[in-house]
Amino acid sequence: MAIANQYGYYTEDYREFVITDPRTPRPWFNYMWNSQYAGLISHTGGGFSFLESPRDNRISRMRYNCLPWDRPGRYVMVKDSATGKYWSLSWAPTIDLKYDFYECRHGQGYTKITTEINGIRGEITYFVPTDTNAEVWRVKLTELSGQTRDLEIYSFLELLMGNALNDQINQPNDKHFTDIHFDRELQALVATRRYWVLNKGVSVKQPNIDWKYQIYFSQNLPIAGFDSSLDTFIGRWRSEANPLAVETGVMQNMEITAGDPVVALQSKISLAAHSAVDFAVTLEIAPKEIPPLNKGGKFSSPPLLRGAGGDLSLEIIDRQFAQLRQKWDDHLSCVQVQTPDEAFNAMINVWNQYQAAVTFDMARNSGYYHGGLLFGTGMRDRFQDILGVVMVDPVRVRERLIKALNFQFKDGSTLHNYFVLTNTGERTNHSDTPLWIPFGIVEYLKETGDFSILEEVVPYHDETSGSVYEHLVRALDFAIANTGERGMPRIFTGDWNDTLDHVGAQGKGETTWGAFFLGYVLKKSLPVCEQQGDRAALDRFQKFYEHLRQVTNDVCWDGEWYLRAFRDNGEPIGVSSATQGKIFLNAQSWAVISELAPSDRADKAMASSREYLATPFGMQIVAPSFTEIDDTVGLISRCVPGKKENGAVFNHASSWFVLASILNGDTEFAWDIYRRMMPINSSQATEAKCDRFETEPYVYPEYVTSPDHETQGQASHSWLTGTAVWMLRIGIDYILGFQPTFTGMIIDPKIPSEWTGFTAKRKFRGKTLSLTVTNHSEVKQMTVNGEIVEGKFIDPAKYEGEEIAIAVHL
Ligand code: GLC
């Protein structure tokens, strides 16, 4: 049974989301990327590309905050020479035309758009090969009208080449360094820039650095004309929708040494009745020092999209595509489930795993709502985003963790965010940021059992170096050393909630959530200290955990829930006596997750959350939202009520509530909230039709507007959110019940009573755990390979064979 909304549906195997009506409420995106080259691609061919860093090394342009949306893009236009009619194969930018058919299939790492118009079927598949820095637009045109057709084909892409922030603020100067020529032997446009801004901020300094890359833009049809000047290709007072060159059929064959760059190629073909033509448009990029791509010459070794003679090879390109499909088959095979809930299956088997992989590589830094100009990689995001990929690729996760530890200082504190290409970032003093280090390392250890990572020596950002274990301990000690007069963490410029930035800006305010979070991380780190034989740290951390239990329960209990924080002046926020921001969700969820709340208070805190914070779309982060500006709290109170951190259903926080609810024994309500949050559900619910939800129905958005705003149900900031990994891991670890520990796996499913059972496969340390769960069984027991086992724990290493059959009767 297909799951659908009015704009599209999931295929039977959930591997593609098929958009059937291009007039979606927002552009709906996908990603295509490998470890260096990355691009966003919308269902209309929009989006931009970059190499390594979306700020410092942007390849193609995106126009921010512009109308019409989602421009420019990766466009291939076809023109019928006889009639003069022309159209785009991706619908945009020629959106005013009447297409006979439109369909966009977003899959893992590729997007395929099919259109039919003027008797031509166009199929265009965009992807980035797994191991070469390039993008491919693979095209097939089929003649449908039964007549021979003379067609002109125009492929074009507006380039940026370099620093995208500088392009926004200094383009009139920046454009004097572009350089594009047509290589006749190659029949390709070769583009570069003689200048690269790599200074980290907005600055008038003009660094004297070369952009060290060269772009090759090719189309493997005979080339009839080209252009590289945006001005001449598009023409005066025109747009991508009606380029002068396409309208007149005359390319200027312009090679530019200055100006706004476009790579545009024209081909002319004759297509016999009912026949088809296959070709590819490619953008390849290589460092300048590599000998120029020429026939028979070397490009990247081996020239991955090209045959021996140096020409693009469709056979190689199609093999690259098959390799990409295989990569995702392998990735997704790590977890496969069959439950009675289709939306859950679609998310866990495909889209949630996929979204988590996207966040692992894009951080919060390259999306339609995350323009890639500001933030780089967030430290706290980095150490959470590993949760999705560590099951699949622990080697890359290990590398990432170690690299990120370079941004920790000797005293245990960290930069808040960093940029990989410039090795810089900002120190903001968010109180929780360093604590995500131990959080992430513990998760890595639980998945892999690879304690050798702890011995690895990593430099601190300021001076000296220390083992990974030392980095972990220093983060915890830094947090302990930065507690305030009550003995709870000082909040400084914010904790996980960035918008509580004035609660403790003077250094005195303290955070309850931060206390629970510190408690949680301390507790989770204890076995690591034990394994290292570090008695002193073990004692210190154990004592501090108990101290946090004492203090939070002495000073943070408001009667029906835990208050959220104390201001610099000592006044609490998140209390029942307040007129706004009375109850904050995270202080309740983490009281439970940290196991610092006694059970009666845990129950009460959960019940209060349910009473005051539940909405049709998930849990509201705070209620009532702030309606008056309060400078002693911060940005939260300046944000419109019902959106973002000011009272939206902030999905990351809502997911933590789901976890807390399961841990506190209320699986039914946890599942109810989990289900409301799944994007295909929120975008179908009667209260929130897809048109209101707006963002992609296949990935979690950062937030959904709560009933505190008239646009309730409207989502924003899709794709790049910590929600992805948490919903994935709560689904796999707690609902399905695969909980990795340092020594093995606890199997402890917590499923809604309406489920009769489920089956699931989960790869773990070289084995496949094949789980069958039946609900409402008479005898409650677990068997492993047919034998009854006591308890819920198994050590997979003790069993022979690759697959271990586990049956649980609940
Ligand atoms: C955004 C940030 C994340 C922060 C959250 C809450 O999602 O990326 O780091 O914790 O907002 O403010």
Side-chain angles (χ1 to χ4, degrees):
M1 183 184 64
I3 336 170
N5 69 16
Q6 76 223 55
Y7 294 99
Y9 63 92
Y10 290 98
T11 52
E12 288 282 313
D13 62 1
Y14 317 124
R15 290 292 294 271
E16 293 178 330
F17 191 87
V18 186
I19 299 163
T20 48
D21 176 354
R23 293 186 185 275
T24 52
R26 295 268 161 198
W28 284 356
F29 277 88
N30 190 14
Y31 285 83
M32 45 185 194
W33 78 109
N34 59 34
S35 59
Q36 291 188 311
Y37 191 94
L40 280 88
I41 174 87
S42 78
H43 73 292
T44 78
F48 62 85
S49 299
F50 62 93
L51 190 69
E52 286 179 287
S53 165
R55 186 192 66 176
D56 300 314
N57 203 11
R58 189 75 66 99
I59 304 304
S60 62
R61 272 197 179 132
M62 156 166 145
R63 259 187 273 294
Y64 291 90
N65 311 323
C66 81
L67 292 174
W69 294 337
D70 192 20
R71 302 277 170 88
R74 303 170 178 90
Y75 300 133
V76 177
M77 283 197 185
V78 176
K79 181 174 168 186
D80 184 326
S81 306
T83 63
K85 288 182 179 163
Y86 60 90
W87 64 95
S88 162
L89 297 185
S90 57
W91 186 64
T94 49
I95 61 175
D96 293 332
L97 302 177
K98 194 177 163 345
Y99 282 74
D100 300 323
F101 180 81
Y102 164 90
E103 178 188 273
C104 167
R105 291 176 176 258
H106 282 320
Q108 290 73 55
Y110 70 90
T111 287
K112 177 175 182 185
I113 300 172
T114 305
T115 52
E116 286 177 17
I117 179 170
N118 297 327
I120 298 287
R121 177 185 306 127
E123 295 161 80
I124 180 160
T125 305
Y126 301 95
F127 72 99
V128 167
T130 54
D131 46 13
T132 187
N133 292 332
E135 62 180 80
V136 176
W137 317 349
R138 176 75 169 84
V139 184
K140 178 174 189 154
L141 299 178
T142 309
E143 206 293 314
L144 302 176
S145 74
Q147 279 161 30
T148 297
R149 312 281 292 274
D150 289 328
L151 301 177
E152 296 161 29
I153 294 158
Y154 300 85
S155 306
F156 61 99
L157 180 70
E158 191 174 330
L159 297 182
L160 194 158
M161 301 189 284
N163 188 313
L165 184 57
N166 205 59
D167 193 56
Q168 289 297 304
I169 58 181
N170 202 23
Q171 175 269 357
N173 291 336
D174 222 24
K175 71 178 183 184
H176 295 105
F177 303 86
T178 40
D179 196 337
I180 308 183
H181 68 273
F182 185 71
D183 185 312
R184 272 156 228 285
E185 201 188 345
L186 275 171
Q187 294 289 296
L189 281 162
V190 182
T192 190
R193 184 188 281 289
R194 300 181 301 272
Y195 165 57
W196 195 5
V197 175
L198 265 182
N199 46 333
K200 60 184 166 152
V202 176
S203 164
V204 291
K205 250 193 294 178
Q206 302 273 338
N208 187 15
I209 309 173
D210 198 18
W211 189 58
K212 62 177 190 198
Y213 300 95
Q214 217 145 234
I215 282 172
Y216 299 85
F217 188 74
S218 322
Q219 167 168 304
N220 65 341
L221 291 172
I223 302 296
F226 62 86
D227 212 333
S228 61
S229 158
L230 190 67
D231 288 352
T232 60
F233 178 71
I234 299 288
R236 293 178 186 171
W237 304 99
R238 287 169 177 264
S239 77
E240 303 89 355
N242 58 352
L244 183 65
V246 177
E247 204 167 286
T248 59
V250 180
M251 298 291 269
Q252 296 303 320
N253 294 347
M254 175 92 81
E255 300 182 306
I256 63 165
T257 51
D260 279 311
V262 71
V263 275
L265 292 171
Q266 178 200 48
S267 298
K268 296 182 178 174
I269 60 167
S270 171
L271 197 55
H274 300 300
S275 72
V277 60
D278 272 279
F279 62 96
V281 180
T282 59
L283 182 153
E284 300 158 281
I285 178 165
K288 272 181 192 158
E289 66 263 21
I290 292 193
L293 172 62
N294 52 33
K295 290 232 170 184
K298 281 187 88 167
F299 172 46
S300 50
S301 50
L304 274 162
L305 304 178
R306 293 173 182 265
D311 291 328
L312 285 179
S313 154
L314 287 185
E315 200 193 319
I316 294 177
I317 284 171
D318 292 346
R319 222 184 299 136
Q320 285 284 335
F321 187 64
Q323 201 169 306
L324 174 75
R325 300 289 300 251
Q326 184 62 47
K327 180 193 131 161
W328 283 103
D329 288 350
D330 294 347
H331 185 117
L332 299 175
S333 72
C334 183
V335 176
Q336 281 299 308
V337 309
Q338 278 303 322
T339 77
D341 193 283
E342 286 274 340
F344 184 77
N345 297 345
M347 290 309 285
I348 299 291
N349 288 335
V350 182
W351 288 91
N352 200 350
Q353 287 194 64
Y354 181 56
Q355 185 181 2
V358 169
T359 63
F360 180 71
D361 282 320
M362 306 298 153
R364 307 288 170 275
N365 198 30
S366 32
Y368 185 64
Y369 306 90
H370 304 80
L373 298 177
L374 178 68
F375 204 70
T377 302
M379 201 67 175
R380 69 156 86 96
D381 304 325
R382 161 60 71 233
F383 282 84
Q384 289 171 84
D385 292 345
I386 63 147
L387 278 171
V389 171
V390 72
M391 301 182 290
V392 179
D393 196 348
V395 176
R396 270 185 83 208
V397 167
R398 188 185 153 122
E399 280 166 23
R400 283 286 174 87
L401 291 181
I402 287 172
K403 211 177 247 173
L405 288 178
N406 279 299
F407 300 99
Q408 185 181 25
F409 296 96
K410 202 175 102 192
D411 67 1
S413 68
T414 60
L415 291 180
H416 186 61
N417 59 316
Y418 58 88
F419 290 86
V420 280
L421 275 183
T422 52
N423 205 35
T424 52
E426 270 180 76
R427 192 175 200 162
T428 59
N429 274 342
H430 284 76
S431 60
D432 64 313
T433 306
L435 287 174
W436 293 100
I437 289 177
F439 170 88
I441 292 172
V442 165
E443 292 300 327
Y444 171 81
L445 292 173
K446 286 199 297 187
E447 183 67 33
T448 60
D450 168 26
F451 282 87
S452 75
I453 191 178
L454 297 173
E455 320 298 336
E456 191 99 21
V457 174
V458 184
Y460 291 105
H461 200 60
D462 42 357
E463 51 181 3
T464 72
S465 44
S467 67
V468 169
Y469 176 68
E470 199 179 290
H471 279 258
L472 172 153
V473 168
R474 286 191 182 195
L476 291 167
D477 278 328
F478 180 82
I480 291 174
N482 281 284
T483 45
E485 64 192 35
R486 294 170 194 81
M488 309 201 310
R490 296 175 204 266
I491 182 167
F492 296 116
T493 46
D495 56 23
W496 170 87
N497 190 325
D498 291 334
T499 61
L500 297 178
D501 48 346
H502 281 268
V503 175
Q506 290 157 33
K508 294 189 75 169
E510 291 168 49
T511 155
T512 313
W513 173 79
F516 291 139
F517 181 57
L518 173 58
Y520 172 86
V521 180
L522 285 169
K523 186 153 192 211
K524 293 285 165 184
S525 303
L526 295 178
V528 183
C529 304
E530 200 160 357
Q531 190 272 345
Q532 292 285 296
D534 187 352
R535 293 275 356 143
L538 191 65
D539 277 6
R540 204 159 70 241
F541 296 159
Q542 223 151 15
K543 283 208 184 92
F544 208 82
Y545 179 75
E546 289 310 323
H547 156 81
L548 289 170
R549 186 196 304 284
Q550 179 81 36
V551 57
T552 49
N553 284 292
D554 282 355
V555 304
C556 302
W557 183 249
D558 186 58
E560 284 185 78
W561 60 78
Y562 287 95
L563 61 87
R564 179 61 173 83
F566 292 95
R567 295 172 166 92
D568 280 324
N569 67 10
E571 278 174 27
I573 67 162
V575 287
S576 56
S577 57
T579 52
Q580 49 182 1
K582 285 170 185 274
I583 172 170
F584 282 76
L585 182 62
N586 284 346
Q588 321 318 319
S589 312
W590 283 84
V592 172
I593 297 170
S594 65
E595 298 174 34
L596 288 172
S599 68
D600 57 329
R601 286 188 177 178
D603 290 348
K604 188 75 204 156
M606 289 283 96
S608 300
S609 304
R610 182 173 179 161
E611 185 175 346
Y612 299 111
L613 300 171
T615 81
F617 326 103
M619 299 297 286
Q620 198 166 328
I621 188 172
V622 61
S625 306
F626 290 81
T627 49
E628 274 167 38
I629 291 171
D630 179 349
D631 277 332
T632 65
V633 181
L635 199 61
I636 188 170
S637 73
R638 291 182 179 271
C639 179
V640 64
K643 291 190 183 276
K644 292 282 267 176
E645 285 92 337
N646 191 15
V649 172
F650 207 94
N651 275 328
H652 196 167
S654 186
S655 74
W656 286 335
F657 174 84
V658 172
L659 173 60
S661 203
I662 293 175
L663 294 174
N664 206 46
D666 194 350
T667 303
E668 294 305 314
F669 192 57
W671 169 247
D672 188 1
I673 294 298
Y674 194 102
R675 211 174 39 184
R676 294 183 209 187
M677 289 169 65
M678 284 190 283
I680 189 77
N681 292 341
S682 335
S683 71
Q684 285 176 318
T686 41
E687 299 91 332
K689 284 264 190 284
C690 186
D691 281 322
R692 174 53 70 77
F693 189 72
E694 293 190 352
T695 60
E696 297 87 342
Y698 39 89
V699 289
Y700 290 100
E702 180 198 79
Y703 78 87
V704 186
T705 308
S706 75
D708 283 359
H709 192 271
E710 61 200 6
T711 60
Q712 68 162 304
Q714 185 180 66
S716 191
H717 293 61
S718 54
W719 280 103
L720 306 182
T721 161
T723 313
V725 290
W726 284 94
M727 289 300 272
L728 180 68
R729 295 305 297 262
I730 291 166
I732 297 170
D733 298 21
Y734 292 91
I735 295 175
L736 303 178
F738 292 103
Q739 286 173 36
T741 72
F742 295 103
T743 51
M745 183 75 92
I746 289 171
I747 307 289
D748 191 12
K750 300 278 189 214
I751 57 175
S753 63
E754 74 206 37
W755 286 14
T756 50
F758 70 88
T759 59
K761 282 184 198 281
R762 157 62 151 112
K763 292 196 180 150
F764 183 62
R765 300 191 191 175
K767 306 262 178 181
T768 300
L769 309 183
S770 178
L771 176 64
T772 309
V773 171
T774 42
N775 208 1
H776 313 298
S777 313
E778 273 176 24
V779 185
K780 320 273 179 212
Q781 66 181 26
M782 174 160 105
T783 62
V784 179
N785 288 343
E787 314 240 319
I788 296 175
V789 295
E790 291 301 321
K792 297 174 172 173
F793 176 80
I794 76 155
D795 176 0
K798 297 227 166 91
Y799 295 87
E800 277 176 18
E802 196 271 324
E803 186 153 331
I804 303 173
I806 306 169
V808 173
H809 299 272
L810 293 173

